[in-house]
Amino acid sequence: MLATLWDGHARIWHGYELHGIENIPEGPGLVVFYHGATPVDYIYFMAKLHILRKRTCHVVADHFVFKLPGFKLLLDVVGVMHGSKEECVNALKKGHLVAISPGGVREALFSDETYVVMWGNRKGFAQVAIDAKVPIIPMFTQNVREGIRTLGGIKIFRSLYEHLRLPVVPMYGGFPVKLRTFLGEPIPYEPNVTTEELTAKAKAAVQSLIDKHQKIPGNVFRALMERFQTRQKED
């Protein structure tokens, strides 16, 4: 029921499309994605995946999410995890899909219409994929920054976040822009690959999806006008 409701919202408000679902393996896999100001595009993806493939996908969330009152049952239902290495590996070894955005809240709040990937030195996700012996599937949603914007460019909000580790950056928007989620070709498991090498491969794969499918800088009006395109241009 939740999947149907979210999918309906996605189609009506954003004309949502999912491309590359054939790149999702039959078994376990680690989906690595660029984080917009909110994770609404991931929710749309998860709903569409459940409808088309009858599969669910666990997702790693920031610790503050679990402190929100009244959200525990919903988080359990949709498979949101704290994201320790052991928890992720166990889920993958049980055959589940797991999704993670290495950029996390920092990327959500402080990346902008230039779609800068902000992973820092984070590479734990790569070690998870190596330990679980699963492929990594890169994912990116076109125009995700145009739907909701943040005021992360104002220095005081960056300082507040770094001190409090809470998402205190104001957001605005909710614009009904065209959203298209693209799943790239899986990066297969290789027994001899290092964590650093796999991190670099995954980052390059996500960046490649951005370069291929997103006009830089993003523009709200252009993204709105894409709702009226009659077909997806050949990329």
Side-chain angles (χ1 to χ4, degrees), residues 98-170:
V98 174
I100 186 169
S101 172
V105 176
R106 183 174 283 103
E107 186 171 85
L109 299 178
F110 304 110
S111 186
D112 55 21
E113 64 272 16
T114 61
Y115 288 83
V116 177
V117 176
M118 301 177 68
W119 290 10
N121 196 36
R122 293 182 176 179
K123 50 193 175 185
F125 73 93
Q127 190 61 55
V128 165
I130 292 171
D131 291 346
K133 301 180 180 180
V134 298
I136 289 178
I137 304 96
M139 185 171 81
F140 169 72
T141 299
Q142 182 187 64
N143 296 327
V144 68
R145 281 279 160 193
E146 280 55 72
I148 297 177
R149 293 269 176 99
T150 75
L151 299 180
I154 300 176
K155 290 184 178 180
I156 189 171
F157 293 129
R158 182 65 178 262
S159 298
L160 283 171
Y161 170 77
E162 298 298 348
H163 282 85
L164 301 176
R165 283 294 190 271
L166 292 173
V168 292
V169 178

Side-chain angles (χ1 to χ4, degrees), residues 44-57:
Y44 293 160
F45 157 73
M46 186 173 61
K48 186 70 76 176
L49 178 69
H50 183 73
I51 291 170
L52 296 178
R53 290 287 187 88
K54 306 301 181 187
R55 295 194 68 182
T56 57
C57 183

